[in-house]
Amino acid sequence: MTFFPPRSRRYWLVSLFFLLLFVLVAGLYILRDNLLDARQFKRHAEIIAKDIWALNETGVLTYLQLVLTTSHCRELTVAIPGNDTFLHLHGPPLSGLSKLLYRSKLIWSRNISQDIVYRGEHIGTLYGEKYVRVAYPLFNLLIFFLFLLLTTLFVMQLSNNRKKLEKQVAERTRHLLTSERRFEDLVNLLPEMVLETDHDGIILYANQTASSRLLGENLVGQSFLNCITGDGQLVAGQLFRAALAGKRTGLREFNALDRSGRSIPVLVRAAPIFTDERVVGSLLVLVDITDQRKMKEQLSSDQKMKAIGLMAGGVAHDLNNILSGIISYPELLLMDIEEHSPMRRPLEAIHRSGLDAAEVVSDLLMAARGVPTDREIVAANQLISSYLDSVDFQQLQAKYPQVLVKTEFSHELRNISCSPIHLRKCLMNLIINGMEAIEGEGNVTIATANSALDALPPGTISDLAHGKYSRIIISDTGTGIAAEDLPRIFEPFYTRKAMGRSGTGLGLALVWNIM
């Protein structure tokens, strides 16, 4: 038994115990059966003693035939002095299951003898060969013991399983408490603010960062919307309901109230909390981006000032003074020169070059100082058509005769609020870039369409509000922009144009600044 584990060893010991108990009970049953057979034979001898004394063969025969049937005897013989076979009877042959058990040695025969005594005198002997049919009751007894064994093993298994389950429950409870403590410690160590709300938006849990930053110590029990300032509460409510509906909300920017009542910019992300596959609340993560916003603004300001501001501020004034002479003196000279004078064309070229240089200075100042905020309500389709009918565009088209400019206007396009002059400059710069990107024949397509913004696309301006917009899409069939150049296309003076191409590297920077 040492080769079995302790639990299996107990099962084997219990099984062995029941086996030994069955053998003991079976032995006692067989011994009892032998005693009962001897007692019955003694009784049979007493009953037939009187008929044997009277030599009443018919009476003895009738009784012994009854005994053959009821006592399952194979044969019975009565011997008297002088006649050993006074009477000899054979029982009916075995059949069916009894015959099969007899051949299998599960039913066997046993010889029994009993003296026949009448009035104290020995008058003969009763011999018998009896079938021992203890197989049937022993089989029932075996079934009973097997039932007891299985019941006992089942109870033992239940007891073992209960102990195992109790141990597992205790261990998992300990692990759960440890995990909860570890999770709470981890959440409290996060620099982000973590809130857990119910289905109505009432805060049920706040980590230490949130408790120390938002509203004060009584954060639990309040609606999380109380943490959001102004008009942002409406959008935050929509974000919360979208999270409960299982939609991906992404990161959204809001202004929240800190403990001192100041407004701080935060990024908020919401996710539903499920219990039994049912949404019971929401998990909110708020990231304070005050430092990031300051750094971004500072970095943007530094880059603009370093790349353009210093140069534009220090040079533009001197350039304007120089260009004023280059532009004004040719104008004065052209007023006095005849139409067919050989000096007229050189003066016109000088005047045109001065205007182009003045345009570059204007671009520098625009990139450095921004654009005016005066806006008008205009129809974008008409603005684009007006530019395509202008002399500037005709000159551009004459320069690139193999490039076809097509339009795909939406006839139900919404009006837009913009500065027409600056939007026209954006169109010009983008169309020029498209034409210059085409080698040989190609197309530049200008399309307009209505658009509704429900969620911010990746890479767009973060403060672009949701709502209805009009889109102007300018595309070309050129080679496109290399992936390594995309992050820098809006940098001032960054250009990949080949020698001989027009451009100063300010085109896309102006488009970005204007838009």
Side-chain angles (χ1 to χ4, degrees):
M1 303 300 293
T2 57
F3 295 99
F4 299 97
R7 186 176 301 172
S8 299
R9 191 180 305 156
R10 288 198 296 269
Y11 293 155
W12 282 105
L13 289 176
V14 171
S15 301
L16 181 61
F17 170 76
F18 273 93
L19 177 62
L20 295 176
L21 184 61
F22 170 75
V23 171
L24 177 62
V25 173
L28 293 175
Y29 183 85
I30 293 174
L31 180 61
R32 174 180 173 276
D33 187 74
N34 291 340
L35 294 175
L36 288 177
D37 288 343
R39 191 179 302 170
Q40 283 183 347
F41 252 70
K42 183 178 180 181
R43 181 62 179 164
H44 296 330
E46 291 175 352
I47 292 175
I48 64 174
K50 186 176 181 180
D51 290 331
I52 294 296
W53 175 262
L55 300 177
N56 183 5
E57 185 176 351
T58 302
V60 175
L61 179 62
T62 302
Y63 180 78
L64 291 183
Q65 286 179 340
L66 181 63
V67 171
L68 281 173
T69 304
T70 58
S71 298
H72 305 288
C73 294
R74 184 177 183 183
E75 60 183 28
L76 290 174
T77 301
V78 177
I80 60 176
N83 188 357
D84 293 336
T85 57
F86 173 72
L87 194 64
H88 184 75
L89 292 88
H90 288 277
L94 296 176
S95 61
L97 179 62
S98 297
K99 184 177 181 180
L100 179 63
L101 293 176
Y102 182 79
R103 290 180 178 178
S104 303
K105 305 301 182 180
L106 296 177
I107 292 179
W108 64 93
S109 60
R110 182 173 64 240
N111 295 321
I112 308 174
S113 64
Q114 180 64 45
D115 293 336
I116 302 173
V117 180
Y118 183 74
R119 294 181 180 179
E121 183 179 352
H122 180 269
I123 60 174
T125 305
L126 176 62
Y127 296 98
E129 185 178 356
K130 187 178 182 302
Y131 289 113
V132 181
R133 299 166 56 90
V134 294
Y136 293 102
L138 288 181
F139 179 77
N140 293 332
L141 188 64
L142 177 62
I143 296 298
F144 175 73
F145 271 90
L146 285 176
F147 175 76
L148 288 181
L149 174 62
L150 292 176
T151 303
T152 303
L153 294 178
F154 179 73
V155 172
M156 291 176 61
Q157 183 66 25
L158 288 180
S159 177
N160 290 333
N161 289 341
R162 180 180 178 182
K163 293 179 181 178
K164 182 179 179 180
L165 288 175
E166 290 176 348
K167 183 178 179 180
Q168 289 179 349
V169 169
E171 184 176 359
R172 291 183 180 181
T173 301
R174 180 174 58 82
H175 285 317
L176 180 60
L177 293 175
T178 303
S179 298
E180 287 181 349
R181 179 186 55 79
R182 187 181 299 115
F183 171 78
E184 186 171 358
D185 293 341
L186 178 62
V187 171
N188 286 329
L189 287 174
L190 291 175
E192 292 80 10
M193 294 166 277
V194 180
L195 302 176
E196 182 180 333
T197 72
D198 62 11
H199 200 277
D200 297 324
I202 304 302
I203 298 174
L204 303 178
Y205 170 80
N207 69 341
Q208 292 181 358
T209 305
S211 299
S212 62
R213 296 294 304 277
L214 297 176
L215 293 181
E217 299 178 356
N218 300 322
L219 193 58
V220 175
Q222 297 190 48
S223 172
F224 87 95
L225 292 176
N226 295 340
C227 303
I228 308 300
T229 63
D231 298 335
Q233 290 187 352
L234 179 61
V235 180
Q238 295 174 353
L239 178 73
F240 177 76
R241 288 187 291 272
L244 293 181
K247 298 180 180 178
R248 293 187 176 182
T249 60
L251 286 172
R252 297 294 301 276
E253 184 173 343
F254 298 95
N255 289 324
L257 288 174
D258 63 4
R259 295 188 66 176
S260 61
R262 293 183 294 108
S263 177
I264 57 174
V266 293
L267 290 177
V268 180
R269 185 166 191 171
I273 298 175
F274 292 91
T275 299
D276 298 331
E277 299 182 355
R278 184 173 59 90
V279 178
V280 296
S282 176
L283 185 66
L284 301 170
V285 178
L286 292 80
V287 183
D288 185 358
I289 58 172
T290 303
D291 294 338
Q292 290 88 332
R293 176 178 287 184
K294 291 180 179 179
M295 290 176 62
K296 182 178 179 181
E297 293 173 353
Q298 185 64 39
L299 179 61
S300 177
S301 176
D302 289 347
Q303 288 178 339
K304 184 180 295 185
M305 291 300 294
K306 288 179 181 179
I308 303 173
L310 182 61
M311 181 189 63
V315 176
H317 179 70
D318 293 335
L319 283 177
N320 279 329
N321 291 335
I322 296 171
L323 290 173
S324 63
I326 296 175
I327 296 173
S328 59
Y329 282 111
E331 286 180 347
L332 295 175
L333 291 173
L334 287 171
M335 293 173 62
D336 297 329
I337 293 178
E338 295 179 358
E339 191 71 22
H340 301 289
S341 173
M343 296 298 296
R344 188 170 188 87
R345 294 190 68 181
L347 289 174
E348 288 178 346
I350 295 171
H351 182 260
R352 186 167 56 253
S353 298
L355 292 177
D356 292 340
E359 187 70 21
V360 173
V361 174
S362 176
D363 289 345
L364 285 171
L365 292 173
M366 188 184 303
R369 302 173 183 174
V371 297
T373 58
D374 295 336
R375 297 186 179 187
E376 300 178 15
I377 303 298
V378 297
N381 290 342
Q382 294 179 4
L383 184 65
I384 297 171
S385 299
S386 175
Y387 170 71
L388 296 179
D389 293 334
S390 66
V391 176
D392 293 338
F393 177 73
Q394 292 174 5
Q395 292 175 351
L396 183 64
Q397 203 167 30
K399 187 176 180 180
Y400 300 96
Q402 293 181 308
V403 179
L404 177 63
V405 177
K406 301 188 300 183
T407 58
E408 297 177 0
F409 290 159
S410 172
H411 298 294
E412 299 179 354
L413 187 69
R414 304 183 186 95
N415 292 337
I416 61 174
S417 173
C418 68
S419 171
I421 297 176
H422 296 92
L423 184 57
R424 182 186 176 110
K425 183 177 289 290
C426 291
L427 292 172
M428 180 185 68
N429 285 328
L430 292 175
I431 293 173
I432 290 174
N433 283 357
M435 288 184 169
E436 291 179 348
I438 298 173
E439 298 290 343
E441 296 183 355
N443 298 324
V444 174
T445 303
I446 307 173
T448 59
N450 290 322
S451 178
L453 184 61
D454 295 327
L456 291 176
T460 55
I461 302 174
S462 60
D463 58 355
L464 193 61
H466 293 185
K468 298 178 180 179
Y469 290 86
S470 296
R471 299 177 62 191
I472 300 176
I473 307 103
I474 301 176
S475 58
D476 62 75
T477 57
T479 57
I481 303 174
E484 60 270 16
D485 293 330
L486 281 176
R488 303 187 60 189
I489 60 175
F490 296 113
E491 292 183 9
F493 304 114
Y494 180 79
T495 179
R496 302 287 291 182
K497 295 178 181 178
M499 292 297 294
R501 293 283 189 174
S502 62
T504 60
L506 290 173
L508 290 181
L510 289 174
V511 172
W512 175 266
N513 199 11
I514 290 172
M515 296 309 298

